[in-house]
Amino acid sequence: MCGIVGYVGVRDATPIIINGLKRLEYRGYDSAGVAVINDNQIEVRRDAGKLSQLVDLVSKSPLNGAPGIGHTRWATHGAPSARNAHPHVSNTGKMVVVHNGIVENFLELKDELTSEGVVFNSDTDTETIVHLAENHKAAGISFEEAARRTFKQIEGANVVLLMSTEEPDKIIAARIGNAGGVVLGIGENENYLASDIPAILEHTRKVIFLESRQMAVVTREGICVETLDGEEVKPEIHVISFDAVSAEKGEYRHFMQKEIHEQVRALTDTLAGRVDFKEGRIRLPELKLTPELAKRIQRIYITACGTAAYAGMVGKYLIEKIARIPVEVVIGSEFRYSDPIVDENTVILAISQSGETADTLAAMEEGRRKGGIVWSIVNAIGSQAMRIADGYIVMQTGPEIGVASTKAFTAPLVDQYMLAILLADLRGVIDEKTRRQLVADLRLVPDLAGRVMDTEAEIEKVAHALKDIRGCLYLGRGINMPIAYEGALKLKEISYIHAEGYPAGEMKHGPIALIDEEMPVLCLAPKDPWHEKMISQIQQAKARGGMVIAVATEGDELVKSMADHVLWVPEAPWMLSPVVTVLPLQMLAYHIAAIRGLDVDQPRNLAKSVTVE
Ligand code: AGP
């Protein structure tokens, strides 16, 4: 999770920035840096590693002056190193940038800039931003106009802060899509910018939240907000309660709601340092996967509990389809009683947000006892599931506070997609064209997720229509069948309404008897290979008087004409469609529970990590 802090005022910016970044450390990062404008010169200190190394650097070579911007970075393009750490400076040294997100069109922009003689000094997509802005500024327009034109040129979900020595009294910030927030803190004759409230809470409690496709010009005298199209915005000023925990929730009512929205940034970070878009390759170094090992794997068991198990059910489709390895999903609490067939060519892949779930750990131990290779996909750094594994993948979503798992569900979907590509590549069962396309599709994920977040108001309306239901069937097919299970679990565990996920094709073998006016049916009907089958499923449910809520791809007029309610998702490559189809189900469950006045973050009888059997 990248952290950003900026300061404009009369004090030295560096200590304010570094202390602010320390309050964002919980997100995890692999490099850090700070830049200030001092006597009309941009000065930068940056290094790979932790903030303590940056503090050492600054103590040896002090940085004075303001304004300033700072950044903690998860490597997305280019390895974690000093040369790839932010901030990045333009070729003339007159502009500097820090950035969160992925510039989806950075390859084209970089080629264009390079052909114009721009020299790149890093492997990052971020550098394209500062060179673009400098090119625009060189045409004689204002810093603000040059920044605006740049923001409109970069594609994808991004947060950007820019400074220029030609107008050294300001920082210009932009939020494009949902790659995390931009919080503007209002001080006395000084102002602050950050990617999250805790970074500036000690200085001010009056904040403005930038919305998507908005930019702000921040000086010590004031903050001007406008759209990227230049329309002035009168932003709402929020006063943050003195409770730091509620400040952690930012503009959200519950941690779960915040974490649902954080998935755009979390998905960006779960790609962090693992996707080489230029070569079309995946790197998962902590897995310690060699070509020899990849070639001799004959079977994979995916074992997990609850939501994590449903993520594994999606992983089965991905690994079997892409890497052609047989995969079996076995619930953690059943694995050690099923006398599984395991040998030295068998992988036991555990998925666990907490990394401490007793049933999942027991399954890992059973797999090891039987001589298998044990891997894990975990979120909690240093957890048992990480420590006892032969190799692991970190979800990199940042801490998940809400008991109901959201970002720790979508991250492992992408992790397993990447694992499948890597396995296929090392086993030589995928051609270059297919591999490059599968990798390129990953670049779409954060923005696709962000577009679903923009539909929350519509989903809340559907939640009001469903708030008194006494049960619900969730139906899905193919790769979206596990999303039916996960959507049902979300509703059960936070709204206490009984819900059941089912393979849609199973309905006619009994459960269809349940459908009447009192039993709504949620049908997952995106434009995937099973779309036509789901259309007839909707017809069958309607014919029995059931209310149908459909998850459908934007523009699907047929589903719209049949369903009572539609939760829209953007078109996505079918193997990545579960990442978007689950999002409206998370928000639907959240809003039903919130409308019912329930304790969304701490549902009754539940614990965040079930460390007992
Ligand atoms: C999901 O919303 C629940 N919190 C629960 O099913 C959870 O996924 C399960 O207990 C596994 O937890 P883990 O990922 O920490 O192992």
Side-chain angles (χ1 to χ4, degrees):
M1 286 280 185
C2 302
I4 282 183
V5 179
Y7 170 76
V8 190
V10 295
R11 293 186 285 162
D12 275 342
T14 300
I16 294 168
I17 288 169
I18 289 181
N19 287 333
L21 291 173
K22 281 179 181 167
R23 280 171 178 66
L24 302 179
E25 267 195 306
Y26 64 85
R27 299 185 173 152
Y29 58 95
D30 47 38
S31 60
V34 59
V36 298
I37 294 183
N38 182 22
D39 196 13
N40 239 29
Q41 294 293 317
I42 291 175
E43 291 190 53
V44 177
R45 305 286 185 275
R46 64 187 191 182
D47 202 355
K50 295 303 175 192
L51 273 173
S52 52
Q53 281 151 273
L54 180 62
V55 171
D56 289 348
L57 208 51
V58 169
S59 63
K60 290 186 188 105
S61 171
L63 266 185
N64 304 307
I69 54 178
H71 187 263
T72 47
R73 170 182 185 252
W74 263 116
T76 51
H77 294 73
S81 63
R83 94 188 203 91
N84 287 328
H86 301 202
H88 288 280
V89 183
S90 63
N91 285 169
T92 63
K94 292 179 180 176
M95 275 199 190
V96 64
V97 68
V98 294
H99 158 242
N100 277 353
I102 291 184
V103 179
E104 288 184 9
N105 56 336
F106 91 95
L107 285 176
E108 301 88 82
L109 294 172
K110 184 167 183 174
D111 290 347
E112 206 177 293
L113 289 161
T114 308
S115 67
E116 291 165 11
V118 170
V119 174
F120 278 75
N121 304 302
S122 77
D123 310 319
T124 66
D125 55 332
T126 303
E127 232 193 306
T128 53
I129 301 171
V130 74
H131 294 320
L132 273 180
E134 175 147 278
N135 268 15
H136 285 307
K137 186 75 184 66
I141 55 178
S142 71
F143 175 31
E144 181 179 337
E145 189 48 36
R148 182 200 320 286
R149 292 184 190 181
T150 303
F151 299 146
K152 294 179 81 167
Q153 259 181 292
I154 60 176
E155 292 170 11
N158 291 288
V159 166
V160 183
L161 264 59
L162 280 166
M163 295 195 300
S164 166
T165 56
E166 293 186 280
E167 296 185 37
D169 61 336
K170 62 190 66 158
I171 295 173
I172 297 184
R175 175 178 172 180
I176 306 147
N178 293 292
V182 178
V183 183
L184 306 173
I186 301 165
E188 299 295 325
N189 198 30
E190 58 188 9
N191 288 305
Y192 307 83
L193 306 91
S195 48
D196 217 339
I197 291 172
I200 55 175
L201 202 56
E202 67 178 289
H203 305 294
T204 178
R205 302 190 187 291
K206 294 197 310 186
V207 299
I208 291 166
F209 297 107
L210 267 197
E211 301 294 332
S212 176
R213 302 203 70 74
Q214 288 185 350
M215 63 186 275
V217 179
V218 182
T219 61
R220 71 171 200 247
E221 293 84 14
I223 296 174
C224 297
V225 178
E226 54 194 39
T227 68
L228 295 192
D229 295 322
E231 288 130 41
E232 194 188 345
V233 172
K234 286 265 178 280
E236 186 184 349
I237 296 176
H238 301 263
V239 178
I240 297 299
S241 76
F242 279 77
D243 163 20
V245 171
S246 70
E248 297 270 326
K249 292 178 200 163
E251 57 206 283
Y252 301 104
R253 281 179 59 194
H254 299 96
F255 278 108
M256 181 181 179
Q257 188 185 26
K258 177 180 181 187
E259 286 154 6
I260 288 172
H261 283 266
E262 264 183 357
Q263 288 177 103
V264 182
R265 185 170 56 197
L267 288 165
T268 301
D269 290 337
T270 213
L271 299 174
R274 294 157 168 175
V275 188
D276 182 337
F277 287 108
K278 197 170 179 66
E279 299 306 321
R281 284 208 141 82
I282 297 297
R283 282 190 302 271
L284 295 169
E286 295 89 354
L287 215 45
K288 306 190 188 86
L289 181 57
T290 63
E292 176 279 327
L293 171 55
K295 288 188 175 82
R296 68 178 169 85
I297 294 171
Q298 288 172 7
R299 177 203 300 260
I300 296 177
Y301 286 106
I302 298 178
T303 187
C305 302
T307 285
Y310 303 146
M313 289 165 73
V314 174
K316 169 184 168 66
Y317 279 93
L318 296 170
I319 296 170
E320 290 191 339
K321 177 72 181 173
I322 299 170
R324 311 307 293 160
I325 301 171
V327 178
E328 190 176 340
V329 179
V330 183
I331 296 292
S333 53
E334 291 297 322
F335 187 81
R336 58 195 181 284
Y337 306 119
S338 62
D339 192 15
I341 300 159
V342 174
D343 64 21
E344 69 281 3
N345 299 321
T346 307
V347 167
I348 292 84
L349 170 62
I351 302 174
S352 177
Q353 190 285 133
S354 64
E356 301 297 346
T357 300
D359 287 327
T360 305
L361 293 171
M364 295 173 77
E365 296 297 351
E366 177 69 359
R368 179 180 304 296
R369 190 182 66 77
K370 288 192 163 226
I373 303 151
V374 178
W375 291 342
S376 62
I377 299 177
V378 292
N379 197 35
I381 308 278
S383 59
Q384 284 192 73
M386 174 187 272
R387 289 200 310 274
I388 67 176
D390 299 313
Y392 60 83
I393 300 172
V394 178
M395 293 181 193
Q396 295 180 169
T397 70
E400 186 175 70
I401 313 297
V403 165
S405 203
T406 50
K407 56 186 185 173
F409 176 77
T410 46
L413 300 186
V414 173
D415 291 330
Q416 293 172 104
Y417 179 91
M418 294 191 287
L419 171 60
I421 296 169
L422 181 59
L423 283 166
D425 193 9
L426 294 174
R427 291 163 69 92
V429 298
I430 190 170
D431 61 72
E432 177 169 5
K433 180 169 180 287
T434 307
R435 192 195 75 235
R436 281 182 172 279
Q437 184 57 58
L438 290 175
V439 171
D441 286 347
L442 277 169
R443 202 157 42 182
L444 306 171
V445 167
D447 203 41
L448 288 174
R451 284 166 53 187
V452 181
M453 298 304 155
D454 294 337
T455 68
E456 181 167 25
E458 294 312 305
I459 296 170
E460 189 174 0
K461 287 185 193 137
V462 178
H464 276 286
L466 299 175
K467 65 182 172 55
D468 299 318
I469 61 172
R470 298 171 51 73
C472 190
L473 280 172
Y474 285 67
L475 306 181
R477 273 182 186 270
I479 201 166
N480 279 293
M481 182 267 286
I483 303 305
Y485 286 81
E486 171 57 11
L489 176 59
K490 285 283 123 0
L491 187 65
K492 278 183 272 202
E493 65 177 328
I494 61 174
S495 71
Y496 315 148
I497 296 169
H498 181 66
E500 203 162 356
Y502 243 97
E506 270 297 284
M507 288 308 293
K508 52 191 175 297
H509 301 292
I512 200 163
L514 285 171
I515 298 180
D516 59 18
E517 293 72 21
E518 300 301 309
M519 178 60 80
V521 184
L522 189 135
C523 292
L524 284 143
K527 288 279 177 68
D528 63 11
W530 300 274
H531 179 253
E532 294 314 311
K533 295 281 187 191
M534 288 309 294
I535 294 295
S536 64
Q537 196 64 57
I538 293 172
Q539 286 164 336
Q540 288 173 42
K542 289 298 292 175
R544 287 152 182 84
M547 174 208 289
V548 171
I549 307 99
V551 174
T553 302
E554 288 163 0
D556 190 335
E557 291 303 317
L558 178 56
V559 170
K560 183 178 177 183
S561 67
M562 299 162 63
D564 298 281
H565 301 285
V566 181
L567 308 177
W568 295 107
V569 295
E571 182 125 28
W574 73 268
M575 281 188 264
L576 290 167
S577 63
V579 179
V580 290
T581 55
V582 73
L583 300 176
L585 305 190
Q586 294 173 345
M587 283 193 264
L588 181 65
Y590 167 75
H591 282 291
I592 290 175
I595 291 163
R596 289 163 71 107
L598 298 171
D599 185 350
V600 173
D601 286 332
Q602 302 286 343
R604 67 187 182 196
N605 312 337
L606 294 181
K608 183 58 187 168
S609 174
V610 184
T611 55
V612 294
E613 290 195 21

